[in-house]
Amino acid sequence: MTRTMADDRRPLDASWLHRQRRHFRLWRRFLGQAVVRETHYRAHFATTLLVGLVELGLGVVPILLLFGFAQEVQGWSRAEVITLVGVYQIVTGLMAAFVAPNLQRMTSYITEGELDGVLLRPVSSQFYLTLRWINVAELSNVASGIAVLVIGLVQSGASPNAAQVLQAFVLAACGLVLLATVWSALAFLAFWLQSVGPIAYIYLNLVEAGRYPLAFFPVAVRAFLTFAFPVAFASTYPAQALAGDLGWTPVAGGVALVVVAVTLVRLLWRRGLRTYASASS
Amino acid sequence: MSTVVRNLRVLRRMTAAQIVGASIYRGAWTIFMVANICVPIISLLIWRTAIANGARLPIDERYVTTYFVLLSFVTMATSSWMTGFLAEYIRLGRLSSWMVRPASVLLSFVANNLSEKVLKLIALVPMIGVLWWIFRDSMNIPAGPGRWTVFAVSIVLGAILVFTIDLLIGSLAFWMDDVTALAQARLIIASVLSGAVVPLALMPDWSRGFIDNQPFRFTVSFPVEIVAGNLSGQELLVGLGIQAGYVVVLGILARLVWSAGLRAYSAVGA
Amino acid sequence: MTNTFEASSRRLPVIAATGLTKTYTFHKQQAGLAGALRSLVRRTYETRLAVDEITFTIDRGEVVGLLGPNGAGKTTTLKLLSGLLYVTSGELEVLGFTPSDRKHDYLRRIALVMGQKTMLWWDVPAMETLLLHKDMYGLGAKEFDRNVAELAELLEVQDLLNVQVRKVSLGERMKLELMAALVHGPEILFLDEPTIGLDVVAKARVRTFLAEVNKLRGTTILVTSHDMDDIEALCSRVMIIDDGRLQYDGGLDELVHAARPRKLVRATYASEVDGSRLAAGEGVTGVDTDGLTITLEVDRERAGDVLGQLTRIGPLVDLDVADADIEEIMRDLFLRRGTLGDA
């Protein structure tokens, strides 16, 4: 066949590490622009903050009522469940700030051909599609989550040591990544289903289960919330780690699950892209 | 031909047309309903666990189970989602094209409400059926058709009530630039006070007098209580009376606000 | 950049396609949930040939127009070249890369602008998009500033860079769009209907700019357009794709010549005349008498005779002779599909 030629240029990334650095720099630009944008919409920030606070309060209502009728449920005290709600609020707040705004756009990316504009860029398309848009105002929910977490810890009198804090941190990070992969997987179904708006809605309702300890559910549901829809890593496990009831085994399990989930989503993404590139016109 | 009959004919035609139009999205409706039923199921499991753990609730397991199994059905049957759309009609001046027609724009909103509700309930009923079957041993099932009739009447009244509240808040767009924050606040308040999050029977004692008589109870909780709870005949009658009262009072209020709004709208134009 | 262009030019093409073919396979899905479930079990596939064994090469610095009716395969070809679609069969190499691998080192060397789709971030100034591209394409600060300054001057958009994109006019937005596409210095620019929806002045600006970019930077440009003025102004070479096949590949002049364009004649008289005799003339077609006006088409060689006839048949007030529109030529070509092969 006929060969072609191009200008001599230094490669875009000299190494794998350079490539990651370029992507990180790009992400920092996303964040910077989102912050600037948010300052133009102060009303939006105020509304998000207020709605977030009310929703947080509302989420605590069933728990407060529940512990009005019982001192302890399945070995969980009220203060421990409040700690758990704090962790849940932080993780879901991070999701809402960094991941959710992107996956909500998947439908329009695919049906309106905006994906073409992304595929033409010399960046990882999955990275771009998952992290391009940031809703800074949602970070206020992370702040309120931290406050709730502290209240819960103080009330329960827990004094986690460094190892336990590390465990909780790693578990919560696993929870964040796992939730993001689950949502990505649901969003990537848009390659085949065209519209995934309602599916995102299922996610938002299912994730509510994370407001309660795993132990509050029947065994089958616990397995579902650990492995299939792993919201347990975003609330129950980190809260248990902070209470000191958890060893390193669940942490290792969480990391292993992350590896599996990320690999699967990566495969799904490749399959989807393949479908897109051979079917779109 | 009387106005009422003509309007009813228009309504029937519009509803039929909207059902045909909206049924294209039945796949999406089904998924929406699956999502809608998630939170009641979560609540159901939580409260059953609490009871199994010896929590001393003022209501028993049968009440809790029946309540949450029926909750998503009643919430859907009485729901309304027109605030945002109505506000948009008013703000963007789309109302004008309706004002030259011999039928109220509200008729189209009623038609939209009815048609989507029919489709959503068709998707929802089988799911409720499955839940019912799973928990059949701990469901309260009222004997005789009497209670079921009252249940149905109460749902219709509840639906009118919700629609009226929606209309009231949407109408504020005649005077306010942005009603979305208000609409959102109302949704959040309503979710607690209507019993959509926690059965109102579990609310603390000090709040009883207020909780039992505020209007939102009659949008969701009251119809569910008719089947799930042990309302006495007298409580039932009083409840229906209050519900009807709210429908009339809020209905008159909404009617006044709406016509005042229309007058303001015609005066200024948009 | 310009130096290497001078030094290494002309030895190898930048785009080479051999027997390039693209078929779409899509499974027919019955409507509704039941249909969707059924199609999970048993799928009926249909294929459509969008690009059919196209072979061509494009050299560095060429500006090539891609023509053809709607659905002929132009956009598909552009998408294949830019790596958005996988090749079904045949071979395709661009700048030493296989486009569909979408290697970052390939993507940084090309740009695609679609007239109908914006790549700009709508509610912030264009500068923000440019800065995003700076990080995305790993541009150094100096290189970035130089490119921005140069492009902004050529396009006369210095004042627009810090205005919200939604607030600028359509024509200005296309300029910003081009700027965003070129800020990383691509070697090949793919343009899909770049002037669609623009007014005459804006169209002319865009054309001038593209010609300048091609001259200054040696950028290879492949452009599809419905606007023949675009093609006439920019392209020395055109490729005509119809029904997925390459029907013509050559100079624009040869195309016009090959189509043997005719003259359009319009004669206006002071009193009513009878033009029916003209129709009998050799090489004359489309005679239309409408009261005081006669319009007709005539072969180039016979034009003199016919003009003479026209002056004789009545009191001539006005006479207008024009070349047949290039769009007419194209339409003609597609109607006489296939006759062009030996042109």
Side-chain angles (χ1 to χ4, degrees):
Chain A
M1 78 175 272
T2 322
R3 309 307 316 182
T4 55
M5 54 85 68
D7 283 343
D8 285 329
R9 290 199 199 181
R10 271 190 300 125
L12 191 50
D13 306 301
S15 69
W16 183 87
L17 204 68
H18 281 88
R19 187 185 158 106
Q20 308 312 310
R21 248 204 352 237
R22 185 166 57 90
H23 280 76
F24 177 70
R25 229 179 265 142
L26 190 56
W27 184 81
R28 230 173 32 195
R29 178 79 64 186
F30 296 158
L31 183 63
Q33 292 184 339
V35 170
V36 172
R37 201 174 120 82
E38 198 64 48
T39 56
H40 294 306
Y41 296 96
R42 260 172 253 168
H44 172 251
F45 190 86
T47 322
T48 312
L49 180 72
L50 208 67
V51 169
L53 282 178
V54 175
E55 277 177 348
L56 175 61
L58 205 69
V60 185
V61 166
I63 290 155
L64 294 182
L65 285 174
L66 183 64
F67 283 97
F69 301 111
Q71 283 301 307
E72 214 185 75
V73 178
Q74 296 282 67
W76 284 76
S77 71
R78 189 176 74 171
E80 283 166 345
V81 177
I82 288 177
T83 311
L84 176 147
V85 170
V87 178
Y88 170 84
Q89 181 82 2
I90 293 169
V91 174
T92 49
L94 289 171
M95 276 290 289
F98 295 112
V99 183
N102 299 282
L103 298 176
Q104 277 160 357
R105 288 167 201 251
M106 269 312 280
T107 305
S108 71
Y109 270 128
I110 289 171
T111 53
E112 280 160 39
E114 288 169 31
L115 183 56
D116 286 347
V118 178
L119 294 177
L120 281 167
R121 305 292 171 202
V123 290
S124 153
S125 320
Q126 200 186 345
F127 157 84
Y128 189 96
L129 250 57
T130 318
L131 298 171
R132 167 68 182 90
W133 302 101
I134 297 170
N135 187 350
V136 180
E138 289 289 347
L139 289 177
S140 63
N141 288 328
V142 177
S144 61
I146 293 173
V148 173
L149 174 65
V150 171
I151 294 172
L153 284 176
V154 171
Q155 282 195 351
S156 65
S159 51
N161 59 30
Q164 287 158 348
V165 170
L166 181 65
Q167 285 173 353
F169 184 80
V170 174
L171 282 164
C174 288
L176 181 64
V177 177
L178 285 169
L179 285 181
T181 52
V182 169
W183 203 356
S184 300
L186 291 175
F188 293 161
L189 290 179
F191 281 119
W192 294 274
L193 301 178
Q194 303 307 321
S195 168
V196 288
I199 292 183
Y201 193 56
I202 288 205
Y203 167 90
L204 286 174
N205 280 278
L206 263 185
V207 83
E208 291 284 311
R211 290 185 186 277
Y212 306 96
L214 211 49
F216 282 23
F217 293 96
V219 177
V221 179
R222 285 183 214 171
F224 176 77
L225 294 178
T226 308
F227 297 108
F229 191 87
V231 69
F233 286 95
S235 63
T236 301
Y237 290 132
Q240 276 181 321
L242 288 175
D245 308 333
L246 216 61
W248 285 98
T249 322
V251 179
V255 173
L257 207 55
V258 164
V259 172
V260 172
V262 167
T263 313
L264 287 178
V265 162
R266 188 89 196 129
L267 284 176
L268 187 73
W269 164 255
R270 290 248 172 92
R271 284 294 302 267
L273 210 54
R274 187 98 213 170
T275 313
Y276 180 81
S278 36
S280 75
S281 56
Chain B
M1 200 176 5
S2 86
T3 318
V4 176
V5 174
R6 190 173 53 83
N7 274 330
L8 281 177
R9 281 207 187 142
V10 173
L11 178 62
R12 199 185 61 191
R13 201 157 289 278
M14 283 201 292
T15 309
Q18 292 228 23
I19 288 182
V20 173
S23 57
I24 300 168
Y25 304 105
R26 55 188 178 277
W29 295 144
T30 311
I31 296 174
F32 263 125
M33 292 306 105
V34 172
N36 257 339
I37 210 168
C38 286
V39 173
I41 294 177
I42 293 168
S43 306
L44 171 61
L45 297 173
I46 296 301
W47 288 101
R48 281 172 67 97
T49 302
I51 293 173
N53 268 254
R56 289 177 306 281
L57 306 189
I59 50 177
D60 61 3
E61 195 189 20
R62 298 182 79 87
Y63 186 115
V64 168
T65 309
T66 317
Y67 190 92
F68 282 114
V69 168
L70 285 182
L71 183 63
S72 43
F73 178 84
V74 176
T75 313
M76 181 44 61
T78 61
S79 64
S80 169
W81 46 84
M82 77 162 170
T83 310
F85 295 104
L86 184 59
E88 209 172 282
Y89 263 58
I90 295 169
R91 226 165 34 81
L92 303 180
R94 232 181 301 164
L95 194 56
S96 308
S97 62
W98 266 99
M99 287 174 66
V100 298
R101 299 186 199 184
S104 167
V105 65
L106 295 182
L107 220 48
S108 79
F109 281 110
V110 175
N112 171 266
N113 186 294
L114 289 177
S115 54
E116 281 193 23
K117 232 177 235 179
V118 166
L119 292 169
K120 286 174 177 172
L121 289 176
I122 287 175
L124 191 58
V125 164
M127 299 177 207
I128 304 279
V130 171
L131 266 189
W132 191 307
W133 183 79
I134 293 174
F135 293 105
R136 60 191 179 285
D137 291 337
S138 40
M139 292 285 291
N140 271 339
I141 303 167
R147 287 249 158 174
W148 289 109
T149 314
V150 181
F151 176 63
V153 170
S154 174
I155 284 184
V156 173
L157 286 175
I160 299 174
L161 192 55
V162 177
F163 191 83
T164 313
I165 296 173
D166 248 24
L167 175 58
L168 259 177
I169 293 176
S171 301
L172 293 181
F174 282 119
W175 299 277
M176 287 168 64
D177 276 342
D178 188 12
V179 295
T180 44
L182 199 67
Q184 199 159 12
R186 173 246 161 159
L187 278 183
I188 293 173
I189 294 169
S191 69
V192 175
L193 292 184
S194 68
V197 176
V198 183
L200 295 182
L202 295 174
M203 290 293 176
D205 288 334
W206 53 262
S207 64
R208 272 270 78 81
F210 167 71
I211 287 289
D212 287 347
N213 295 304
Q214 44 88 25
F216 290 109
R217 175 181 172 221
F218 298 92
T219 60
V220 176
S221 177
F222 181 68
V224 185
E225 286 170 40
I226 294 174
V227 176
N230 24 24
L231 295 178
S232 66
Q234 196 202 344
E235 282 171 319
L236 209 61
L237 279 180
V238 172
L240 275 179
I242 300 178
Q243 195 179 25
Y246 273 127
V247 168
V248 171
V249 171
L250 287 174
I252 292 172
L253 193 62
R255 160 113 220 158
L256 289 176
V257 171
W258 175 251
S259 2
L262 278 187
R263 268 199 306 280
Y265 183 83
S266 325
V268 182
Chain C
M1 197 168 111
T2 29
N3 291 340
T4 44
F5 155 60
E6 303 288 348
S8 60
S9 60
R10 299 295 168 211
R11 271 199 305 278
L12 286 171
V14 287
I15 302 178
T18 316
L20 183 63
T21 302
K22 173 71 187 175
T23 51
Y24 291 124
T25 310
F26 50 95
H27 66 271
K28 262 175 83 180
Q29 186 170 322
Q30 284 99 334
L33 191 63
L37 288 176
R38 208 173 310 132
S39 68
L40 283 180
V41 186
R42 197 165 47 93
R43 286 186 166 181
T44 39
Y45 288 100
E46 280 192 3
T47 56
R48 197 170 64 83
L49 196 57
V51 173
D52 188 6
E53 300 219 17
I54 289 182
T55 299
F56 64 91
T57 59
I58 292 177
D59 287 331
R60 172 167 310 241
E62 275 195 282
V63 182
V64 180
L66 204 52
L67 306 180
N70 277 329
K74 289 172 298 179
T75 306
T76 304
T77 307
L78 278 195
K79 284 188 169 183
L80 285 167
L81 292 174
S82 53
L84 291 174
L85 293 174
Y86 291 102
V87 172
T88 307
S89 70
E91 284 172 63
L92 177 63
E93 193 182 291
V94 183
L95 297 169
F97 293 87
T98 301
S100 58
D101 289 348
R102 295 194 301 107
K103 288 269 195 314
H104 291 180
D105 277 313
Y106 173 64
L107 296 175
R108 69 189 293 217
R109 290 165 195 263
I110 62 159
L112 170 69
V113 175
M114 302 206 195
Q116 288 115 318
K117 279 180 201 155
T118 178
M119 302 269 180
L120 294 169
W121 192 2
W122 203 238
D123 45 25
V124 296
M127 194 60 191
E128 296 293 330
T129 303
L130 295 178
L131 285 168
L132 212 59
H133 286 198
K134 172 176 180 260
D135 292 328
M136 208 173 329
Y137 290 91
L139 303 175
K142 252 195 225 153
E143 187 185 2
F144 177 75
D145 292 343
R146 199 186 56 225
N147 282 354
V148 169
E150 187 184 307
L151 290 167
E153 198 191 312
L154 276 178
L155 286 162
E156 297 167 2
V157 291
Q158 290 98 328
D159 303 335
L160 297 175
L161 292 180
N162 291 309
V163 178
Q164 265 196 351
V165 173
R166 69 163 84 242
K167 287 183 185 154
V168 308
S169 73
L170 192 62
E172 289 168 335
R173 208 181 73 217
M174 183 40 75
K175 289 194 205 168
L176 295 171
E177 205 82 55
L178 286 168
M179 183 162 179
L182 289 166
V183 74
H184 63 277
E187 287 160 57
I188 304 182
L189 178 59
F190 299 109
L191 297 159
D192 195 10
E193 301 283 351
T195 59
I196 202 161
L198 301 187
D199 62 48
V200 184
V201 180
K203 278 184 184 183
R205 280 270 174 77
V206 168
R207 281 177 209 140
T208 322
F209 169 74
L210 290 173
E212 242 164 320
V213 166
N214 169 253
K215 207 171 71 195
L216 288 175
R217 296 188 165 191
T219 309
T220 309
I221 298 179
L222 189 57
V223 54
T224 76
S225 182
H226 268 97
D227 190 330
M228 289 307 153
D229 294 340
D230 283 354
I231 304 296
E232 279 187 290
L234 280 172
C235 309
S236 50
R237 172 181 168 193
V238 292
M239 301 200 309
I240 298 178
I241 296 185
D242 189 21
D243 214 17
R245 275 188 295 269
L246 189 58
Q247 305 283 10
Y248 175 84
D249 181 357
L252 184 65
D253 299 340
E254 289 97 305
L255 175 69
V256 175
H257 183 73
R260 279 184 279 278
R262 302 150 69 87
K263 296 285 182 185
L264 285 177
V265 183
R266 183 188 158 92
T268 312
Y269 295 88
S271 60
E272 237 170 87
V273 291
D274 176 22
S276 56
R277 264 188 313 146
L278 288 163
E282 189 196 338
V284 180
T285 52
V287 180
D288 183 21
T289 313
D290 178 21
L292 300 176
T293 314
I294 297 178
T295 54
L296 57 79
E297 281 180 40
V298 58
D299 283 353
R300 208 177 273 266
E301 306 85 63
R302 294 266 303 126
D305 293 351
V306 171
L307 290 180
Q309 272 181 296
L310 283 170
T311 51
R312 284 195 295 272
I313 59 170
L316 196 60
V317 179
D318 188 28
L319 186 66
D320 184 34
V321 184
D323 274 322
D325 195 17
I326 187 165
E327 291 194 46
E328 298 278 335
I329 298 176
M330 299 297 302
R331 210 166 297 142
D332 224 40
L333 281 175
F334 297 130
L335 286 176
R336 302 184 283 139
R337 183 175 293 159
T339 57
L340 209 67
D342 44 12

